[in-house]
Amino acid sequence: MQSASDQLPEHDYPDHWEADVVLRDGGTARIRPITADDADRLVSFYEQVSDESKYYRFFAPYPRLSAKDVHRFTHHDFVDRVGLAATVGGEFIATVRYDRINDRGLPASAPADEAEVAFLVQDAHQGRGVASALLEHIAAVARERDIRRFAAEVLPANNKMIKVFTDAGYTQKRSFEDGAVRLHLDLEPTDRSLAVQRAREQRAEARSVQRLLTPRSVAVVGAGRAPGGVGRTVLRNLLGAGYTGRVYAVNAALAGNGGPVAFDGVPAHPSVAAIGEPVDLAIVAVPAERVPEVVADCGEHGVQGLVVLSAGYAESGADGRERQRQLVRQARSYGMRIIGPNAFGIINTAADVRLNASLAPQTPAAGRIGLFTQSGAIGIALLAGLHRRGAGLSSFISAGNRADVSGNDFLQHWYDDPGTDVVLLYLESIGNPRKFTRLARRTAAVKPVVVVKGARHSGSAPPGHRVPVTRIPHATVSALLRQAGVIRVDTVTELVDAGVLLAAQPLPAGPRVAILGNSESLGLLTYDACLTEGLRPLRPLDLTTAAEPADFRDALVAALADETSDAVVVNAIPWVGENGATEFGDGEVLAASLREAVASAQAPTKPVVVVHVEMGGLAEALAVATSTRPTAPGRGAAAAPGSRPTGLPAAPGPGTAGPGTAGPGAVPGAASAVPASAVPAPASGASASAVGDGEGDADPGSAPVPVPPATIPSYPAAERAVRALAEAVRYGQWRRQAAEPGRVPEYEDIDEAGAAALIERVLGGDGADPRGVTLDTAQAGELLARYGIAVLPTLPAPTPDAAVAAAGRLGYPVALKTTAPHLRHRPDLGGVRLDLASEEQLRTAYAELTEVLGKPEELLPVVQTMVPRGVDTVVRSAIDPAVGAVLSFGLAGAASELLGDTAHRLVPATDRDVADLVRSLRTAPLLFGWRGSAPVDTPALEEVLLRVSRLVDDHPEVVAVSLEPVVVAARGLSVLGATVRLAPPPPRTDLGPRSLPSY
């Protein structure tokens, strides 16, 4: 859309203000600036507003807009006067405008920093959260135009609009003047306003997914006359799953057909319009060139969402990418959301829905796992693997090109979905890593999130996926996801292995593992695997090959009751008698004994896994055996009194429900354990509904959900079982730590204002490079000193005499080192001479350096005073456009660089984050007295990490910091070198108003 001809040329149409938003009911709307071309739309919109709403807007009867009104409300300079409209189908459903005013309330221009704001929402769209979304966007526009406050006058009876303002979370003042409520809002974002915004985002996006998963009616567009083909296959799968809603078939070739037609007993129509009844979800299976007419047909007749199976989009090249952009724009213009294109489909196993709108011929069993995949082929493999392991699904989504609905949307849904206990994700790209990390952390606080990522080493996103450019390596992204509580695995097999364990068993309270079985060798393999994964295995209990099922049962009962272990691994091999027959038959007898042991345990709270070798039928039998996990209504049932796992918090929170009972086959009266999802969330990850935002907290999906029988997971190899168990142990530890989050310390000696002034002076100076600047040594030292980080003085030594003079100023002993880029931080190349105690030693070292490595002007030698010996480390921070500011730590030297032994945390880092950061290195033992050496001052090291984190968080213009080396001694530390780069900060998309990714 272009700016109107009569608008000021210096203020062009601000197309970056355009945005698609998800509303409270899950539908979408387009927000954009109002221009002179919108006169007819504005008049039509106003005619559909009730007299009462008009009275609330103008404080008097105002039946129609005059020509002068229309001109005033459609002509803006986009600086002092701005109007935004929310549109659906190209028509206005709501408007908001501001006019800059001075301290007397009269029209003004900058530098006046206050504006009067007013809203009008069409009655049919009130209650959808449109005004709240418009307030977020008009506030962002105002801040961009240097407006800091909004003023609004509202009639006391207009409670809805008063609530929009008061619940927004901004700092505000309220008064009553001349019969109206006068409100003043400070537009600077606050923790409260950000929390409200994210709570509304979660509720809206979760609702949009729920609408896709729980349609009351489905139309399959593209169902052919003859059996076969994609459309008829989906139609058959819908019927085969027993879908509880209404089903329609649509085939354009039926136009002009005389009588009624049915496909597989389903009424068939030539278009969605011809159905004549509401349709909530359309499955689109027509060639790509015909999709636009289908989208228009659906949009004009109230369809809420689309699953586009059609291929030929961004995965097919440049033309396909443009076709995909047009598809998303067209669907959003009607308020519809899209799964796909090039999707495999969606499945919801809930008993009151039973939706299989996919190409999967068999609907998976109902269960507690939510599965999202970006690949149809991987989706098929995962469905088959989970089915073989006896794991049921709550929902399944294969999103294809994920042009609109993505994994982030489903994390919003699964976060408080009462039917899902475990989230499994196969991702080939992460479209918004910063948001994904935030959502994953919140979801992981109440239920496990397991991720396997494909295309890790290809260097580019898969065809069809729009992703931001990132400079950080995959290993760093993985570390940041683990910081957020995500369970990162490397293969699809590991994804299934971890998923079946977490869905069926409680979280272990610690790393101690009991091992029992009838094979000493298999027990030793399990013991070794536990050590490899960082677990603490107990001495294996060998039941001998003569053990019978009853022996397994008794040993497992004892292990579950033993307080010295946190988990149990049962190993089983066939016992072959003298006549060659196996005593265990096909494994069902042993499975029954293990089931009996689990059910009879007193308050069992330990996970049990089974490793089997050629035990016929054991895996199948265990797949239907009851585990220590309960069956209970609600999301993630809580334990019966007294049955909480050791070390896990007991306070209620998201993810807990009422007391549960053991599943089928359990001994009556046996206590139940807590499943992986039932541990309460930490306070910092509170449910979105805990933040009052004035939009209602009703959860339409919060009805009790029956839990199917859980299983005892079994594995054909000890390494696979232990790896899955280790992931559960680490996740349980993260949950316990997340229940008591760390803090960002306040340091009284930090001079934030002084640092800001220095940064402004450097970036705002004449001739400053808009791309940024690297500070010189003095400037870097000054900026770091403002945050309490002292850098050891360094004096240049261009000649031997200059080196001697520098040493005289600093005092002997000194170090002589080169600073040439190709030699910097490379002591292995001989560019450093230490402990030079006299002028003679210094001159000798200088001569040796210049003789061996080059001329002084090439080496750029410097002199520094010696510091106490310790461990050389490196502290860095950088801002990545995709994930934000990242704090990194490692030991200096080629060995760490070669091994890639660097740890990472997101900024701002807490005291707990940096303590874990320091200890997460493989080479961390060098800091804690390895092989009898003296431990170094890790508290001082952690303080430096926290100060660097504060610097980068307080000043986003600090885009890179490198302290190298940081020598950590037994007492204190010394920063020997520092590099700081400043640049205009990249935009923070996570702090702006709610919006969908732009197309």
Side-chain angles (χ1 to χ4, degrees), residues 73-399:
F73 293 151
T74 57
H75 287 69
H76 307 97
D77 61 10
F78 302 126
V79 177
D80 300 326
R81 298 176 59 249
V82 173
L84 300 181
T87 68
V88 173
E91 299 301 320
F92 287 8
I93 64 170
T95 62
V96 62
R97 60 178 286 109
Y98 78 65
D99 293 89
R100 194 189 300 258
I101 57 175
N102 59 22
D103 55 2
R104 293 177 296 167
L106 300 176
S109 299
D113 61 358
E114 185 171 356
E116 193 167 44
V117 65
F119 294 79
L120 186 59
V121 180
Q122 203 173 90
D123 294 67
H125 295 276
Q126 292 178 9
R128 300 183 65 199
V130 183
S132 299
L134 281 173
L135 177 58
E136 290 178 20
H137 283 261
I138 197 72
V141 168
R143 288 192 296 269
E144 181 181 328
R145 297 310 193 195
D146 295 323
I147 291 173
R148 298 291 172 247
R149 292 179 303 281
F150 273 163
E153 287 190 353
V154 186
L155 288 175
N158 193 356
N159 294 318
K160 292 180 181 179
M161 188 52 59
I162 293 175
K163 196 167 182 60
V164 167
F165 288 115
T166 58
D167 289 346
Y170 296 114
T171 303
Q172 56 188 267
K173 296 180 181 178
R174 183 174 176 177
S175 60
F176 188 79
E177 302 175 12
D178 299 328
V181 178
R182 182 79 175 175
L183 296 165
H184 291 269
L185 279 72
D186 187 337
L187 299 183
E188 187 66 26
T190 65
D191 290 342
R192 173 68 178 170
S193 67
L194 186 60
V196 169
Q197 179 177 316
R198 288 178 173 173
R200 290 171 172 170
E201 174 192 66
Q202 188 274 330
R203 182 174 291 106
E205 293 179 359
R207 178 58 181 155
S208 72
V209 168
Q210 188 180 43
R211 296 205 313 179
L212 293 167
L213 289 174
T214 58
R216 293 163 297 181
S217 55
V218 176
V220 180
V221 183
R225 293 175 181 267
V230 173
R232 283 296 288 269
T233 298
V234 174
L235 184 62
R236 183 183 66 242
N237 294 343
L238 271 169
L239 299 176
Y243 172 58
T244 58
R246 300 183 303 278
V247 181
Y248 306 98
V250 176
N251 186 325
L254 297 178
N257 193 297
V261 179
F263 298 162
D264 295 327
V266 172
H269 305 271
S271 66
V272 173
I275 294 175
E277 295 183 25
V279 174
D280 291 340
L281 179 68
I283 314 301
V284 182
V286 301
E289 59 270 17
R290 287 191 49 216
V291 170
E293 63 185 82
V294 172
V295 174
D297 183 27
C298 292
E300 291 169 4
H301 293 87
V303 175
Q304 296 178 351
L306 306 173
V307 178
V308 181
L309 308 182
S310 311
Y313 287 89
E315 80 283 357
S316 63
D319 291 343
R321 284 193 293 273
E322 179 57 31
R323 189 179 298 120
Q324 184 165 301
R325 282 192 288 267
Q326 294 300 328
L327 168 64
V328 175
R329 290 170 180 163
Q330 183 186 15
R332 287 180 178 173
S333 74
Y334 289 108
M336 297 185 293
R337 300 214 67 183
I338 299 174
I339 291 179
N342 196 28
F344 186 74
I346 61 175
I347 296 174
N348 181 1
T349 64
D352 58 344
V353 181
R354 297 200 298 272
L355 173 73
N356 182 1
S358 78
L359 297 172
Q362 183 177 3
T363 303
R368 313 291 295 176
I369 295 175
L371 175 60
F372 177 91
T373 172
Q374 293 176 355
S375 163
I378 297 298
I380 295 171
L382 286 169
L383 288 175
L386 291 167
H387 175 73
R388 285 194 302 270
R389 305 287 288 277
L393 299 181
S394 61
S395 50
F396 163 78
I397 303 90
S398 179

Side-chain angles (χ1 to χ4, degrees), residues 417-494:
D417 174 35
T420 301
D421 286 343
V422 179
V423 174
L424 304 184
L425 304 169
Y426 170 78
L427 306 176
E428 293 177 346
S429 63
I430 302 177
N432 188 339
R434 196 193 298 259
K435 181 177 179 179
F436 178 82
T437 302
R438 170 170 58 86
L439 299 185
R441 176 189 288 273
R442 185 190 59 190
T443 305
V446 295
K447 59 189 67 173
V449 177
V450 191
V451 173
V452 61
K453 189 174 183 304
R456 289 174 291 170
H457 306 298
S458 64
S460 62
H465 292 212
R466 297 176 66 254
V467 297
V469 176
T470 179
R471 294 188 295 265
I472 62 177
H474 168 75
T476 305
V477 175
S478 296
L480 299 180
L481 291 180
R482 286 193 177 276
Q483 180 190 2
V486 172
I487 300 172
R488 276 282 290 110
V489 296
D490 293 326
T491 67
V492 169
T493 300
E494 292 177 358

Side-chain angles (χ1 to χ4, degrees), residues 82 129 335 416 485 495 506 525 537 572 671 704 775 805 883 910 961 963 996:
V82 173
D416 56 5
L495 185 72
L525 287 173
L775 300 184
V883 301
T910 67
V961 176
L963 308 182
L996 291 168

